[in-house]
């Protein structure tokens, strides 16, 4: 199966995984890969630390859509601003808008309501791919979401249905229902799981893959095993510390890849730990590796 073809058909790719495993790098690399194949791609970043722009060497988005290279754009969004935007859209009277936005009830509700922020983020992605984007990017072919590590990827994906179940009527309930249907459509939305081949990330990825199956009846388009130590040749003497470290880390990688195999027989890409600082060169190298690996996955 050509996974790249499959990824090219999707309107939304959710990149998820444990903190620090390389989600942002993989998001940028996938974006670059699809953009070089002619797709118009928007990378959506929710993490308040905002770092995609560093990886792609653009100015920080600060909420705007920024062009990184032909066909590749990025945007940093604050979920709560999306919710405020909704209020502005619904309530056209300025005085009323200001009152609602400033009211403790609104703040309390939007901060506390489970799943609302996630729903707003997916709602933004849906609006964009349906052609309601700003003039800077009216209709991207695909959105890639660099999902935050906080909260499982599955709870993100399940959030709109949760909101739709709780808020059954009115504009929010209706919207959540539409977004949930979008997320459930496997022809339009896919998930990419990123992990390193270490004990804790693999443990979490195994749970994630299981939860995707059980709760959402879906499987990842691909699992990316990132930052792997290079294969170690046992004939090499490993009496110095650096070589011993390489041997030991690689042995852990091999053992953990096997644990991943136990739960995942689908497409997998292996990306080496590259001696490159975060930035476009790293993104380019990871993108080329993904192109190679996913074609034959
Ligand atoms: N294959 C790789 N080779 C070398 N360095 C890498 C590789 N993948 C990621 N890195 C580096 O590892 C660090 C973590 O990567 P990244 O920021 O993409 O992880 P993340 O999963 O997005 O983290 P967070 O959960 O904190 O958002 C970064 O400094 C990044 O440059
Ligand atoms: Mg990140």
């Amino acid at each position: 199966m050509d996974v790249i073809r499959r990824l090219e058909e999707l309107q939304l790719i959710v990149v998820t995984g444990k903190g620090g495993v390389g989600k942002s790098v993989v998001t940028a690399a996938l974006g670059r890969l699809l953009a070089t194949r002619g797709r118009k791609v928007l990378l959506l970043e929710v993490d308040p630390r905002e770092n995609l722009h560093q990886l792609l060497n653009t100015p920080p988005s600060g909420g705007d859509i920024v062009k990184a290279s032909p066909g590749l754009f990025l945007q940093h969004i604050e979920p709560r601003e999306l919710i405020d935007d909704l209020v502005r859209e619904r309530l056209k009277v300025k005085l009323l808008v200001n009152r609602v936005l400033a009211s403790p009830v609104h703040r309390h509700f939007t901060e506390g309501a489970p799943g609302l922020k996630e729903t707003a983020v997916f709602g933004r992605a849906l609006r964009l791919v349906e052609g309601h984007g700003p003039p800077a990017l009216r209709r991207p072919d695909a959105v890639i979401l660099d999902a935050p590590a906080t909260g499982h990827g599955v709870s993100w994906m399940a959030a709109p249905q949760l909101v739709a179940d709780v808020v059954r009527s009115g504009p929010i309930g209706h919207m959540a229902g539409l977004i949930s249907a979008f997320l459930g459509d496997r022809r339009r939305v896919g998930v990419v799981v990123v992990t390193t081949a270490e004990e804790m990330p693999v443990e979490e990825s195994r749970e994630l893959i299981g939860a995707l199956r059980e709760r959402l009846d879906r499987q990842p388009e691909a699992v990316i095993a990132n930052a792997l130590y290079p294969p170690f040749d046992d004939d090499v003497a490993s009496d110095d510390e650096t070589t011993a470290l390489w041997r030991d880390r690689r042995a852990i990688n091999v053992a953990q890849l096997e644990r991943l195999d136990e739960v995942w027989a689908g497409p997998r890409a292996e990306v080496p730990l590259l001696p490159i600082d975060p930035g476009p060169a790293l993104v380019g190298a990871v993108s080329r590796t993904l192109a190679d690996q996913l074609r034959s996955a």
Side-chain angles (χ1 to χ4, degrees), residues 8-271:
E8 271 178 343
E9 289 166 359
L10 296 171
Q11 290 184 316
L12 171 65
I13 300 170
V14 180
V15 176
T16 180
K18 192 174 162 58
V21 295
K23 293 179 300 295
S24 297
V25 169
V26 167
T27 298
L30 268 182
R32 170 149 305 171
L33 173 58
L34 296 179
T36 54
R37 294 171 63 96
R39 301 279 284 168
K40 206 190 318 168
V41 182
L42 175 69
L43 311 179
L44 266 193
E45 179 175 44
V46 185
D47 191 324
R49 290 168 307 170
E50 215 178 331
N51 64 16
L52 275 182
H53 69 282
Q54 281 161 346
L55 288 170
L56 292 168
N57 197 23
T58 72
S61 146
D64 295 330
I65 292 181
V66 176
K67 184 169 180 177
S69 53
L72 185 60
F73 301 79
L74 66 93
Q75 184 178 28
H76 180 268
I77 52 173
E78 284 287 342
R80 71 150 323 113
E81 277 172 23
L82 297 180
I83 296 170
D84 290 357
D85 280 354
L86 271 177
V87 171
R88 282 189 199 98
E89 245 168 59
R90 293 274 153 201
L91 300 175
K92 300 256 152 66
V93 185
K94 202 162 174 230
L95 193 65
L96 207 55
V97 168
N98 293 341
R99 270 183 145 169
V100 170
L101 294 184
S103 79
V105 175
H106 172 71
R107 288 274 163 256
H108 189 74
F109 177 68
T110 54
E111 285 302 327
L116 199 59
K117 287 185 185 172
E118 293 86 342
T119 305
V121 171
F122 288 126
R124 170 56 59 95
L126 176 58
R127 291 189 58 159
L128 285 161
V129 298
E130 292 197 327
H132 305 293
L137 184 64
R138 191 63 79 200
R139 185 197 284 267
D141 299 314
V143 169
I144 307 182
L145 175 68
D146 183 1
T150 47
H152 231 247
V154 174
S155 48
W156 262 75
M157 301 276 299
Q161 188 55 50
L162 180 79
V163 173
D165 288 344
V166 174
V167 192
R168 284 174 189 241
S169 58
I172 291 190
H174 177 68
M175 190 186 70
L178 290 178
I179 296 166
S180 175
F182 170 57
L183 289 181
D185 187 343
R186 291 187 213 90
R187 288 162 309 178
R188 299 178 78 187
V189 178
V191 179
V192 167
V193 172
V194 186
T195 186
T196 51
E198 286 156 4
E199 190 179 348
M200 289 312 288
V202 165
E203 190 53 39
E204 203 160 298
S205 303
R206 284 165 57 110
E207 283 168 21
L208 179 62
I209 292 166
L212 278 170
R213 247 183 227 133
E214 280 154 35
R215 287 181 56 191
L216 300 175
D217 190 27
R218 62 154 68 234
Q219 49 181 31
E221 308 313 313
V223 174
I224 316 289
N226 186 35
L228 301 179
Y229 279 75
F232 185 81
D233 181 351
D234 283 327
D235 294 338
V236 173
S238 51
D239 33 20
D240 71 281
E241 276 179 11
T242 315
T243 317
L245 177 74
W246 168 21
R247 179 202 58 206
D248 295 349
R249 302 307 303 180
R250 178 64 194 183
I252 292 173
N253 285 169
V254 170
Q256 294 302 325
L257 287 173
E258 280 170 16
R259 286 186 67 233
L260 204 55
D261 283 344
E262 290 168 10
V263 298
W264 179 245
R268 186 175 85 193
E270 296 187 5
V271 178

